[in-house]
Amino acid sequence: MTAPSLAQRPSKALLVGLVVSGVLALIVLAIMLYSGGPIGFGLSALLAVAPLPVLLAAVLSLDRLEPEPKLHLAFAFAWGAGVAIVLGVALTVAGQQLFLRAGYGSAAVEYIGTVVLAPVVEEALKGSALLLLLRRRMEIDGLTDGIVYASMAGLGFAAVENVGYYLLSYDQDGISAAVQVFVVRGLIDPLGHPIYTSMIGLGVAYALTHRTPARYAAIPLGYAAAVFLHGLWNGAASTGSLGVLGAAYLVIMGALVLLVVVTVLERRQLVARMGYYLPAYEPTGVISPADVQMLTTLPARKAARQWARRVGLGRAMSDYQQAATELTMLHVRAERQAVDPIRFQLERDQHLRTMALARRW
């Protein structure tokens, strides 16, 4: 992420995508309100929104070291909640109609739609948010960024989809049925969609941040993994067997563990890289050997923030650490790809000024 004064202006395409996605999400919710009534819709919306703050906090906590622009995160969430939902339903239904016309029975078509068409279509649409952000490639500096953007698209999709599932259950069997579905979708497996789409996020981020031949296969492999996990869960749920569902759940939780390990390792690697780049700036006076030592381990950074808050310098320390992280990322990007020398100098000087203003210890 670039310094505030040098950040890329929001593109018109990004703003249009955000508005269109938001409007589509509101239209879908309005249709649900009209068809389900205020009581059923209100209950369903409440159940869908209830876990969302915790889930958003969990995803954004992965991004604390180098936060992504709020507009980009909002776009990914809105894309999942709007465009991906509308096109996902439309294309899945259209695909099912083709199978019906081909002579398949209704039960077979329902199974195909749930286990095959929905994963293939929905993951492509959610993952397309990452592809649309490729033009803003300076914002995707590592695998963690891909995971965060993909998770936001998945959370947006799940939030609106869950309203529909809860409302359908309420209409059929009342409040108890809606709550039962909430236990499964909102409590037991609330991170399903973010986990599936994060496979695509990993692929996109790897393709952007590596120069090996494997990068060409990263995106299709990530998409295949997302479709597999999504189809695995839907297929297991359709069997009605707790054993099969439990096995699928363990596989998906294994994917979650992988994502967490990736983010932890990448965060540690980035912090360690500061020990390589930052000592060169000691002659400027904005950083000392003690500051470098503080910045290059996660426990030391946390301890420094705690000390700073006790002495009234909490915001200054956060700004200082953030600017130092951004300065390091600037060097990492320059190492990875060609960066305009003038742009590099302007961004570097901006980060150094921020560090100089914040450093009051």
Side-chain angles (χ1 to χ4, degrees), residues 8-21 69-76 78-79 129 132-133 135-136 139 149:
Q8 302 179 77
R9 291 182 178 179
S11 68
K12 291 182 180 179
L14 187 69
L15 293 173
V16 169
L18 178 60
V19 171
V20 170
S21 298
K70 292 181 176 60
L71 181 64
H72 293 72
L73 295 173
F75 165 78
W79 182 270
L132 291 171
L133 287 169
R135 294 185 61 185
R136 315 291 289 182
E139 299 299 347
Y149 283 124

Side-chain angles (χ1 to χ4, degrees), residues 9-270:
R9 291 182 178 179
S11 68
K12 291 182 180 179
L14 187 69
L15 293 173
V16 169
L18 178 60
V19 171
V20 170
S21 298
V23 169
L24 286 175
L26 290 175
I27 290 174
V28 171
L29 292 173
I31 292 173
M32 292 180 184
L33 171 61
Y34 177 78
S35 62
I39 297 177
F41 175 81
L43 173 65
S44 301
L46 179 63
L47 292 175
V49 170
L52 199 54
V54 175
L55 299 177
L56 287 171
V59 170
L60 295 179
S61 68
L62 302 176
D63 197 34
R64 287 180 301 171
L65 196 60
E66 196 236 343
E68 298 306 303
K70 292 181 176 60
L71 181 64
H72 293 72
L73 295 173
F75 165 78
F77 184 90
W79 182 270
V83 172
I85 281 285
V86 172
L87 292 182
V89 171
L91 293 177
T92 300
V93 170
Q96 288 178 306
Q97 290 300 314
L98 291 177
F99 279 99
L100 282 173
R101 293 175 183 175
Y104 287 82
S106 58
V109 169
E110 182 67 24
Y111 182 83
I112 292 171
T114 300
V115 180
V116 180
L117 292 178
V120 168
V121 171
E122 290 173 6
E123 294 310 320
L125 290 168
K126 289 184 292 176
S128 62
L130 276 294
L131 298 179
L132 291 171
L133 287 169
L134 286 178
R135 294 185 61 185
R136 315 291 289 182
R137 59 180 58 204
M138 288 183 67
E139 299 299 347
I140 301 180
D141 295 314
L143 301 181
T144 300
D145 293 348
I147 293 172
V148 169
Y149 283 124
S151 295
M152 292 299 289
L155 285 176
F157 186 95
V160 176
E161 183 186 54
N162 283 344
V163 175
Y165 274 108
Y166 301 151
L167 185 58
L168 180 62
S169 299
Y170 174 84
D171 288 341
Q172 292 177 344
D173 297 302
I175 295 177
S176 61
V179 172
Q180 288 176 2
V181 176
F182 167 73
V183 170
V184 176
R185 299 185 65 88
L187 298 180
I188 296 177
D189 188 41
L191 288 173
H193 280 290
I195 292 172
Y196 312 148
T197 313
S198 286
M199 299 296 108
I200 302 174
L202 282 177
V204 171
Y206 185 93
L208 280 176
T209 57
H210 291 74
R211 290 294 174 264
T212 63
R215 72 183 188 275
Y216 296 108
I219 296 177
L221 285 176
Y223 172 66
V227 171
F228 168 76
L229 291 175
H230 196 160
L232 177 67
W233 177 257
N234 285 4
S238 68
T239 66
S241 168
L242 288 177
V244 174
L245 193 65
Y249 186 76
L250 289 177
V251 173
I252 294 170
M253 288 302 101
L256 175 60
V257 171
L258 171 65
L259 295 173
V260 173
V261 169
V262 166
T263 59
V264 170
L265 291 178
E266 188 171 65
R267 185 182 299 177
R268 290 179 177 175
Q269 290 172 357
L270 174 58

